[in-house]
């Protein structure tokens, strides 16, 4: 198998993003502005063993467009997942393609319904989206149902 050349301006996400995830936006904008490999991210996929995976501009754009079609359009996103995960990265990519700046749930904070609500209150676009894992959704819904762990 031929080795893939990754351009020097590709965004490499080898682990948690230090600082503000929005600081990734300029680099992502540059990388998505050209064809070819745009992002290198560690992911376990279905194997359970993390490995570097190269995501191309075409793949990221196709995913973003498919999400827009499935959700009925574009809007502003709330980043509630770590930016170094594919799902968190995609929130940033979708935001760039939508021409919006995502609101960010501080990655240093523990995920709570209150922290999520505070971050969601920062959204300004009339069309708003987020991406959550099941545990996050469960934590948001539990107070409403009266269930406690």
């Amino acid at each position: 198998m031929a080795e893939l050349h990754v351009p020097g301006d590709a965004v490499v996400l080898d682990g948690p993003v230090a600082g503000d995830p929005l600081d990734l936006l300029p680099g992502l904008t540059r990388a998505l502005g050209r064809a070819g490999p745009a992002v290198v991210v560690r992911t376990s996929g279905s194997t359970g063993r993390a490995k570097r995976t190269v995501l191309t501009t075409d793949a990221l754009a196709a995913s973003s467009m498919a999400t827009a079609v499935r959700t009925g359009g574009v809007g502003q996103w709330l980043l509630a997942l770590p930016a170094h995960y594919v799902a968190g990265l995609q929130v940033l990519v979708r935001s760039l393609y939508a021409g919006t700046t995502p609101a960010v749930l501080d990655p240093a904070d523990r995920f709570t319904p209150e922290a999520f609500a505070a971050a969601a209150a920062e959204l300004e676009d009339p069309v708003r989206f987020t991406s959550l894992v099941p545990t996050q959704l469960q934590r948001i819904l539990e107070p409403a149902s009266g269930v406690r762990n």
Side-chain angles (χ1 to χ4, degrees):
M1 178 186 278
E3 189 166 323
L4 182 65
H5 170 72
V6 178
D9 66 346
V11 175
V12 178
L13 300 171
D14 261 338
V17 174
D20 187 347
L22 296 183
D23 291 343
L24 294 171
L25 293 178
L28 283 171
T29 300
R30 281 189 300 279
L32 293 171
R34 55 155 177 74
V39 178
V40 179
V41 64
R42 279 199 178 277
T43 183
S44 60
S46 60
T47 67
R49 188 177 49 102
K51 58 188 169 291
R52 287 182 173 179
T53 301
V54 177
L55 303 174
T56 64
T57 297
D58 285 348
L60 293 165
S63 177
S64 182
M65 290 173 54
T67 299
V69 168
R70 183 71 176 142
T71 60
V74 296
Q76 187 180 19
W77 283 83
L78 167 58
L79 177 62
L81 299 166
H84 68 287
Y85 291 172
V86 173
L89 167 68
Q90 280 297 100
V91 166
L92 297 176
V93 170
R94 291 178 200 130
S95 297
L96 288 172
Y97 282 118
T100 63
T101 301
V104 177
L105 183 71
D106 188 340
D109 291 341
R110 183 175 178 274
F111 186 93
T112 65
E114 297 78 18
F116 178 79
E122 300 295 318
L123 294 167
E124 298 172 345
D125 196 277
V127 180
R128 302 165 186 191
F129 301 104
T130 194
S131 182
L132 302 170
V133 295
T135 300
Q136 290 173 312
L137 182 58
Q138 181 179 1
R139 286 183 184 161
I140 292 169
L141 296 176
E142 281 178 351
S145 67
V147 176
R148 297 279 179 213
N149 287 333

